[in-house]
């Protein structure tokens, strides 16, 4: 255990670790809700701002760009900042971004607000993961990190459907105002339950950026980008696949997406336990499982029952992969774990863009919606190649 972890664990002695992890998970819940809320509220937002739905989609793109930029930049610049204080500042930015979104008078002010909201996303999860890992013994850090990530997965089960419903009944601006309130609750919970965490000795921008000099960090990030790209190739087009291929009614789509979220929640908890045993083994197993599940999806998702079960399975496996990837990155860069873990979210947003684009290419070529699963399976196997390549290199120090 590092000096920082020892200090954190000592300080946490009078504060239940479970409460601290719950406080961090509330932030993950809020971030997960705001990330996916725009997708559900897109028609209402486009109508209110008098723009087309494709133009309104710039708001989704702006958020993703904010994540990609904010994760490494914020963590590197704030390397010397106390961890709890940094979490509070990140949540303040989150609250401001959602409040500005709710008040945006036009499309371009909204796009700017969504970019601002995306900036703290990856940095929050990176810092929260390091704090969570420092609250427990080393052999339980995977489970601690998974508890933080459960907030993100539960958002897909509860948060997104609720704010979508609220947006339909009360207007989309009310939804983002409610999300801002979640951020305020997170600030209060973190301030009360998360113990102060000492800044690591020798912390600084140069040390944090040193994570990018490690080839194992780059291999893990590429593994995440390619491996999760396979999931996004399918998930981006899951709604039309369910209705046009599997023959389910449109009203069933939200319930199937909720099943995806339940799978993610189970996968996050399972992935944390598996990563405590072997992060590398978890990565390999999850990528193999993802390739198998997506192959079954391509072959059988025309059946409604199979489609629902496999969407659930995709959610489960992708979060097992995420748990292994986070711990692998933290192990690969022990002196800059926050930057390594936060950069994971930049990689995942790149995976979102790559997967959706490749899925769109095969659909536009006339191969049908199920062909996206073949793309996803191929990307999962490509991720295995990156993991295999890491085995040929000298092992990093942990």
């Amino acid at each position: 255990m590092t000096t920082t972890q020892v200090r954190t664990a000592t300080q946490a002695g009078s504060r239940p670790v479970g409460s601290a992890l719950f406080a961090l998970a509330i932030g993950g819940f809020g971030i997960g809700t705001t990330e996916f809320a725009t997708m559900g509220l897109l028609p209402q937002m486009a109508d209110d701002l008098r723009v087309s739905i494709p133009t309104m989609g710039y708001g989704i793109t702006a958020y993703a760009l904010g994540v990609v930029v904010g994760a490494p930049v914020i963590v590197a610049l704030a390397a010397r900042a106390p961890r709890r204080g940094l979490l509070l500042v990140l949540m303040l930015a989150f609250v401001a971004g959602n409040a500005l979104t709710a008040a945006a008078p036009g499309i371009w002010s909204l796009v700017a607000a969504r970019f601002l909201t995306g900036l703290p996303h990856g940095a929050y999860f990176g810092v929260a993961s390091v704090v969570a890992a420092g609250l427990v013994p080393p052999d339980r850090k995977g489970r601690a990190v998974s508890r933080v990530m459960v907030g993100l997965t539960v958002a897909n089960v509860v948060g997104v459907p609720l704010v979508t419903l609220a947006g339909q009944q009360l207007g989309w601006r009310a939804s983002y105002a409610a999300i801002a309130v979640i951020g305020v609750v997170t600030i209060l919970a973190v301030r009360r339950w998360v113990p102060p965490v000492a800044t690591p000795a020798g912390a600084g921008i140069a040390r944090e950026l040193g994570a990018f000099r490690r080839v194992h960090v780059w291999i893990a990030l590429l593994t995440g980008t390619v491996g999760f790209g396979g999931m996004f190739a399918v998930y981006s087009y899951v709604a039309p696949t369910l209705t046009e291929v599997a023959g389910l009614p449109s009203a069933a789509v939200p319930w199937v997406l909720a099943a995806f979220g339940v799978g993610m929640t189970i996968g996050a908890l399972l992935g944390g336990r598996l990563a405590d045993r072997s992060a590398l083994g978890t990565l390999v197993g999850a990528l193999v499982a993802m390739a198998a599940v997506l192959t079954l999806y391509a072959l059988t998702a025309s059946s409604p029952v199979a489609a629902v079960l496999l969407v659930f399975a995709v959610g489960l496996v992708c979060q097992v992969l995420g748990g292994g990837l986070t711990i692998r990155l933290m192990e690969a860069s022990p002196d800059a774990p926050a930057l390594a873990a936060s950069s994971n979210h930049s990689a995942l947003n790149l995976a979102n863009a790559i997967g959706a684009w490749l899925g769109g290419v095969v659909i536009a070529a006339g191969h049908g919606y199920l062909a996206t699963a073949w793309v996803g399976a191929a990307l999962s196997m490509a991720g295995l190649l990156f993991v295999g390549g890491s085995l040929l290199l000298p092992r990093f120090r942990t």
Side-chain angles (χ1 to χ4, degrees):
M1 184 180 288
T2 65
T3 302
T4 301
Q5 290 173 322
V6 171
R7 290 174 182 170
T8 304
T10 300
Q11 292 165 331
S14 60
R15 309 181 190 212
V17 171
S19 297
L21 296 178
F22 179 70
L24 297 173
I26 296 173
F29 177 82
I31 291 173
T33 301
T34 200
E35 180 179 16
F36 294 103
T38 305
M39 300 170 188
L41 297 171
L42 212 58
Q44 292 92 337
M45 297 171 73
D47 287 343
D48 184 56
L49 297 179
R50 298 180 181 179
V51 297
S52 67
I53 286 180
T55 300
M56 192 64 247
Y58 292 153
I60 298 174
T61 303
Y63 185 92
L65 289 174
V67 178
V68 173
V69 172
V73 172
I74 292 174
V75 172
L77 292 178
R80 296 181 182 275
R83 296 307 189 201
R84 186 176 68 169
L86 179 55
L87 288 171
L88 295 174
V89 171
L90 291 171
M91 270 294 115
L92 282 173
F94 173 84
V95 171
N98 282 287
L100 289 172
T101 299
I107 179 61
W108 299 115
S109 58
L110 184 137
V111 167
R114 296 314 292 160
F115 178 80
L116 172 62
T117 310
L119 287 174
H121 177 128
Y124 177 87
F125 279 117
V127 175
S129 294
V130 172
V131 171
L135 292 171
V136 298
D139 62 345
R140 296 182 62 87
K141 64 182 179 181
R143 275 166 279 189
V145 172
S146 73
R147 293 275 294 276
V148 176
M149 298 306 298
V150 160
L152 176 64
T153 64
V154 171
N156 285 276
V157 183
V158 180
V160 175
L162 284 180
V163 299
T164 300
L165 179 62
Q168 292 171 346
Q169 300 299 319
L170 303 174
W172 65 270
R173 296 180 188 276
S175 294
Y176 287 103
I179 295 171
V181 172
I182 296 174
V184 173
V185 172
T186 302
I187 291 172
L188 296 175
V190 169
R191 183 68 182 82
R192 179 175 178 81
W193 289 325
V194 176
V197 180
T199 304
I205 295 177
R207 179 171 170 176
E208 290 291 332
L209 293 179
F212 292 131
R213 292 197 299 267
R214 293 181 168 87
V215 67
H216 282 285
V217 169
W218 283 107
I219 290 176
L221 291 174
L222 287 171
T223 301
T225 300
V226 175
F228 270 92
M231 184 275 286
F232 282 114
V234 171
Y235 186 72
S236 299
Y237 304 97
V238 68
T241 302
L242 293 171
T243 56
E244 298 182 29
V245 179
L248 289 169
S250 299
V253 173
W255 296 103
V256 179
L257 296 183
F260 178 83
V262 172
M264 290 178 70
T265 302
I266 296 172
L269 295 173
L270 177 61
R273 289 184 174 275
L274 294 174
D276 280 334
R277 297 182 180 182
S278 172
L280 180 60
T282 302
L283 277 181
V284 172
L287 288 168
V288 171
M290 182 67 77
V293 167
L294 293 180
T295 298
L296 285 174
Y297 187 98
L299 295 173
T300 67
S302 55
S303 162
V305 174
V308 173
L309 291 175
L310 289 168
V311 167
F312 167 84
V314 170
L316 189 154
V317 176
C318 80
Q319 284 304 112
V320 172
L321 175 61
L325 190 61
T326 299
I327 299 303
R328 178 72 172 173
L329 281 164
M330 292 171 69
E331 290 176 348
S333 186
D335 54 349
L339 182 60
S342 63
S343 296
N344 184 27
H345 291 271
S346 296
L348 298 188
N349 276 268
L350 290 175
N352 191 346
I354 293 170
W357 173 68
L358 289 175
V361 167
V362 298
I363 293 170
H367 298 296
Y369 289 111
L370 292 183
T372 60
W374 291 117
V375 173
L379 288 174
S380 297
M381 297 307 294
L384 274 175
L385 293 178
F386 284 115
V387 175
S390 70
L391 298 177
L392 302 177
L393 299 171
R395 178 167 172 77
F396 48 77
R397 292 184 179 181
T398 58

